[in-house]
Amino acid sequence: PTITPEKFTRQYFSMLDKKDLEAAWKATSQNFKTNKRLMKDGYSSYEKWWGKDVVRFTLHRVVVQSQSFDSAKVEVIIQFKTKDGMGPVQHLFLYLTWEPQSGKWLLDDSQS
């Protein structure tokens, strides 16, 4: 891979910060897009959360926990500000998958 999992993660959150939701959605795998636990109604849930519910967020830390040639686990320490106010600092684990056809990392799963 030409781009590291850490750099991918930072670029992904940069797209979200700029509200470039279509580009960020394209950086997710088919598994992520169809995972009802993550986004009950697919892109409309994603757009509602990142486009309307999240006012802003602070990315405190990005740490690659593990990496192989086709997957990576990245710990993200993040704090969201929603319409309801500032939330607690959260630890999220992002699971990335390498897509050889495009030569890119994709976000495959997210767990807190």
Side-chain angles (χ1 to χ4, degrees), residues 5-6 8-9 12-13 27-33 35 37-38 62-68 70-76 91-99 104-112:
E6 179 184 356
F8 165 84
T9 302
Y12 176 76
F13 281 103
T28 65
S29 70
Q30 194 58 37
N31 180 59
F32 182 94
K33 290 177 172 100
N35 188 328
R37 177 182 57 79
L38 294 171
V62 175
V63 179
V64 177
Q65 298 283 309
S66 62
Q67 180 181 351
S68 69
D70 66 348
S71 66
K73 179 182 177 183
V74 180
E75 180 186 22
V76 172
H91 289 250
L92 297 179
F93 292 98
L94 305 183
Y95 296 85
L96 311 182
T97 186
W98 179 254
E99 185 183 70
K104 295 180 181 175
W105 288 105
L106 296 175
L107 177 58
D108 195 50
D109 196 6
S110 173
Q111 296 178 6
S112 52

Side-chain angles (χ1 to χ4, degrees), residues 48 52-55 81-85:
K48 180 181 181 305
K52 297 185 177 90
D53 295 346
V54 173
V55 175
K81 180 173 189 218
T82 65
K83 292 176 280 190
D84 300 327

Side-chain angles (χ1 to χ4, degrees), residues 9-60:
T9 302
R10 291 186 184 282
Q11 288 175 343
Y12 176 76
F13 281 103
S14 177
M15 288 184 272
L16 293 171
D17 189 43
K18 295 174 190 162
K19 300 293 185 189
D20 191 354
L21 303 183
E22 285 184 30
W25 183 249
K26 287 179 184 169
T28 65
S29 70
Q30 194 58 37
N31 180 59
F32 182 94
K33 290 177 172 100
T34 58
N35 188 328
K36 299 296 183 198
R37 177 182 57 79
L38 294 171
M39 297 293 152
K40 188 170 74 85
D41 297 316
Y43 184 73
S44 62
S45 296
Y46 188 82
E47 186 176 41
K48 180 181 181 305
W49 170 249
W50 288 110
K52 297 185 177 90
D53 295 346
V54 173
V55 175
R56 73 173 190 269
F57 61 88
T58 304
L59 195 59
H60 292 287

